[in-house]
Amino acid sequence: MPWHLVKPLILIAFVSTCVATIWAQEEERPLWEQEALLIYSESSPEFNRVRMLGREDPRLSRYITALEILHGQQEAEEGPPYLAAQRLLRGLIEAEPNDAIGLAAMYYLARIEQSNPVEQDIASAKALYRKLYDSHRDRFFGQMALLKYAALEIYNDDGVEAGVLERIQKLEALAEDMSVPHLRCNFHRLLGEAYVAFELDPKRAYDHLQAAYELGLPVESMRVDVVLHLARLCEQLGDGEKALAHYDELILLAPQHESIDEFRAKAAELRVR
């Protein structure tokens, strides 16, 4: 066979082998890690792997197309990009609502309702997030949906603070459902920071933020923010020893922080008490 005909066949075989290898590698991961790969990223290695897999999976390919249109990486055939993305995502859900792609599609439908600058509908977004969580609370996208729902529920779309403590307390009961480690961490951080923001029970704020800290905060700036909250909460609670330990950690963590002089002064003050 002439080389100009053989070369494309070799390329196709190579791509098929790569895709098969990627599938095998992904199937060895825990289910939630496999599902987390479906979170859109324009250039991450993880989502590039998903793009590769989509070459031999028509359903996955449609999902990728929907997100590329939504994020401005592909042109919509007609109408605004968000409407084209919605049509594709709804079609995926109608075909199979309970597989990873169906759950991811429902999550992104809710995101469109929440973030669409043309027809933003927070109430619909909250309803979709809650539906996704209630029906699939043990799955990655169910727990992602709970995080989004909780943020909207706590801070309320109309900005009303009345009843915020009751809203937070209802959500607290759901923390045990969060089995994905980094989502559980973020859920505790969200609750703890809400207690701080609304100047509610400092002990509950500390407990949630300490739980988040112990679960591991991968981003340094996030870790600094949480440790600073912990230090100030310990002062409020009258626990100078713990407050000192947190300020000492801050000095090591963030020597270039704009408030580093305050951290050093607080640590020095607490040492002589």
Side-chain angles (χ1 to χ4, degrees), residues 113-229:
E113 295 290 353
Q114 179 184 350
S115 305
N116 177 6
V118 180
E119 298 179 52
Q120 185 185 53
D121 190 337
I122 297 296
S124 291
K126 283 176 67 175
L128 283 170
Y129 286 136
R130 187 69 203 218
K131 179 181 177 182
L132 178 52
Y133 167 69
D134 285 339
S135 59
H136 294 90
R137 60 180 60 196
D138 61 334
R139 302 286 291 274
F140 175 80
F141 281 101
Q143 295 181 29
M144 279 286 290
L146 176 59
L147 266 178
K148 297 295 185 182
Y149 171 83
L152 293 175
E153 179 72 356
I154 289 169
Y155 292 101
N156 219 342
D157 51 288
D158 60 6
V160 175
E161 292 186 17
V164 67
L165 178 59
E166 291 79 5
R167 296 198 298 275
I168 294 172
Q169 288 173 333
K170 285 180 181 178
L171 291 165
E172 281 182 297
L174 305 177
E176 294 305 312
D177 287 345
M178 301 291 278
S179 59
V180 177
H182 73 277
L183 298 185
R184 187 182 179 96
C185 172
N186 288 341
F187 194 66
H188 279 296
R189 184 168 63 89
L190 173 68
L191 295 174
E193 289 179 348
Y195 270 106
V196 171
F198 291 103
E199 299 181 347
L200 301 171
D201 185 345
K203 180 63 169 63
R204 295 301 298 146
Y206 182 88
D207 289 345
H208 282 297
L209 290 167
Q210 181 64 25
Y213 178 85
E214 290 173 0
L215 284 162
L217 297 153
V219 179
E220 184 176 304
S221 60
M222 188 186 300
R223 193 157 60 249
V224 169
D225 288 345
V226 167
V227 175
L228 179 55
H229 280 314

Side-chain angles (χ1 to χ4, degrees), residues 26-100:
E26 301 310 338
E27 287 173 354
E28 292 176 0
R29 294 187 179 204
L31 178 60
W32 74 262
E33 288 188 12
Q34 296 176 46
E35 294 180 342
L37 293 172
L38 294 172
I39 292 289
Y40 180 79
S41 173
E42 184 177 332
S43 58
S44 75
E46 290 79 9
F47 202 76
N48 283 337
R49 289 162 73 88
V50 173
R51 289 185 178 95
M52 177 74 79
L53 295 172
R55 294 182 181 184
E56 294 196 1
D57 185 327
R59 179 167 168 80
L60 181 58
S61 179
R62 287 195 295 276
Y63 172 77
I64 293 165
T65 298
L67 296 192
E68 298 281 16
I69 291 171
L70 183 61
H71 291 88
Q73 300 304 304
Q74 284 192 42
E75 293 289 330
E77 289 186 4
E78 59 175 300
Y82 79 92
L83 288 179
Q86 278 179 329
R87 284 193 296 270
L88 285 167
L89 294 171
R90 285 171 179 154
L92 292 166
I93 294 167
E94 288 171 9
E96 173 48 74
N98 297 312
D99 70 352

